[in-house]
Amino acid sequence: MVIINYFFICLIFGTTFLTIKMGIEAGAPPLFSAGIRFFAAGLLVVLYFAVKRHPVTLFLLSKKVAFAGFCLTFMTFATLYWAEQYITSGLAAVLSATGPMMILFVQAKRNKTIIKREQFIALMIALAGVICISLPGFHQELSYLWVIACAVILGGEVFYAIGTLNSKEILTTEKDVSPFLINGVQMLYGGSMLLIFSIIMEQPNPAVLTTWDIWGPIVYLIFIGSIGGHGLYYWLISKTNPVFPSTWLYISPLIAVAAGYIFLDEPVKPIMGLGAAFILGGVFLANRATLQSYWKQGKLFKKAV
């Protein structure tokens, strides 16, 4: 189930890049639509668990879960959406792909341990693959806003790392609680913060949400991207280490390129094939120990049967 769910989050998050682009091109204010997406998804999940009589109130009042929502949902997406006004989506994908390495750095600093050389090199190989995938969209003039936007995304990835590690601590402490509930509460908090930030920065007009061209992508992102994808991400954090599920950041640009080619007739260049090889090889090497562990468990299970 770990390998299958990892495949699903890579597939889901790969298609959400395309869906977000469709919504924005239809006229949806980026931060406003992101806020609606996460707030609605979080609210639906929390209501579901409330009906099932789970301890929802306990986590709604949890400062740790609120902080996870601030880091994982608000800071990660607010910085990304703001920065993409000044840099290309290809560069944004490369900068976002530093997330797993940020987790390694923050984790090493917290635990006062040394980063494993093999894992770091593997993540660098995968990052090189994302660069190759994204190179065709790199054409852009440099400016001070370009530099600030790059720094903002990298800062957002630091918060992504902190939020992921904090979530692992919460899920380790609360072993009897569903990861989907914790994810729902943090999305509710993060979505609320995004909506407030959108009202201040974008001053959105709710009338833009009257067309299906905008609502369609938002509905997909609520149920598939947020409830499904982010819920499975939390589940994987609870079952494995924080780095393993975060490597979706390498696979999803590859899936996004394939989806763009299939559905939007976007061009695919030879260097993208080299990038795909780097990504798949790097992700495999970075997660080799985890994959071997679950492969052995699968063999033992078959023998037992």
Side-chain angles (χ1 to χ4, degrees):
M1 288 305 298
V2 167
I3 305 302
I4 291 172
N5 286 337
Y6 175 76
F7 171 78
F8 274 124
I9 68 165
C10 290
L11 182 62
I12 288 170
F13 288 146
T15 59
T16 56
F17 277 102
L18 175 65
T19 311
I20 289 170
K21 184 176 181 180
M22 291 169 61
I24 291 174
E25 287 182 348
L31 293 173
F32 188 56
S33 58
I36 291 175
R37 164 193 174 181
F38 285 106
F39 180 82
L43 184 61
L44 288 171
V45 172
V46 169
L47 288 175
Y48 170 81
F49 281 100
V51 170
K52 294 290 184 178
R53 299 184 181 278
H54 286 260
V56 170
T57 305
L58 176 65
F59 296 103
L60 284 172
L61 300 175
S62 170
K63 292 181 180 179
K64 289 184 178 180
V65 179
F67 182 67
F70 171 77
C71 293
L72 269 180
T73 297
F74 174 69
M75 285 301 296
T76 302
F77 285 90
T79 53
L80 178 63
Y81 278 119
W82 180 86
E84 284 207 51
Q85 298 175 91
Y86 307 105
I87 63 174
T88 63
S89 58
L91 180 55
V94 172
L95 294 171
S96 296
T98 60
M101 285 184 285
M102 295 295 187
I103 292 175
L104 279 182
F105 291 138
V106 175
Q107 191 175 43
K109 186 176 180 180
R110 280 188 177 186
N111 300 336
K112 296 181 179 179
T113 56
I114 299 174
I115 297 173
K116 292 181 180 179
R117 184 182 298 177
E118 179 187 349
Q119 192 172 35
F120 180 75
I121 292 174
L123 292 177
M124 288 297 291
I125 292 172
L127 180 60
V130 177
I131 292 173
C132 292
I133 286 283
S134 307
L135 269 178
F138 269 19
H139 307 293
Q140 190 172 6
E141 293 183 4
L142 299 183
S143 66
Y144 76 95
L145 282 174
W146 183 92
V147 175
I148 292 173
C150 291
V152 164
I153 289 186
L154 290 174
E157 290 308 309
V158 173
F159 280 98
Y160 174 82
I162 295 170
T164 298
L165 292 170
N166 279 23
S167 298
K168 178 63 176 179
E169 291 176 3
I170 296 169
L171 294 167
T172 301
T173 305
E174 306 291 344
K175 291 183 178 180
D176 296 330
V177 179
S178 171
F180 286 88
L181 172 57
I182 306 295
N183 177 57
V185 176
Q186 73 88 12
M187 286 195 300
L188 188 62
Y189 274 111
S192 301
M193 295 173 194
L194 281 167
L195 286 174
I196 294 170
F197 191 60
S198 169
I199 291 170
I200 296 170
M201 297 295 294
E202 296 176 327
Q203 299 178 348
N205 180 6
V208 301
L209 300 175
T210 56
T211 65
W212 179 248
D213 288 341
I214 291 177
W215 263 114
I218 290 177
V219 169
Y220 179 86
L221 291 168
I222 288 171
F223 289 97
I224 306 299
S226 296
I227 296 177
H230 286 272
L232 288 175
Y233 179 74
Y234 251 70
W235 184 87
L236 283 169
I237 291 175
S238 70
K239 300 296 182 183
T240 64
N241 59 77
V243 174
F244 173 67
S246 71
T247 53
W248 71 265
L249 284 160
Y250 298 118
I251 302 293
S252 59
L254 180 59
I255 296 175
V257 167
Y261 173 74
I262 294 171
F263 297 105
L264 299 179
D265 293 325
E266 293 181 347
V268 174
K269 298 186 178 182
I271 194 171
M272 293 180 174
L274 178 63
F278 279 151
I279 289 171
L280 295 176
V283 169
F284 174 78
L285 290 174
N287 297 316
R288 186 165 60 90
T290 303
L291 293 171
Q292 284 179 341
S293 172
Y294 285 101
W295 177 259
K296 289 178 181 178
Q297 288 181 26
K299 285 187 173 181
L300 289 172
F301 176 75
K302 289 178 181 178
K303 289 179 180 178
V305 172

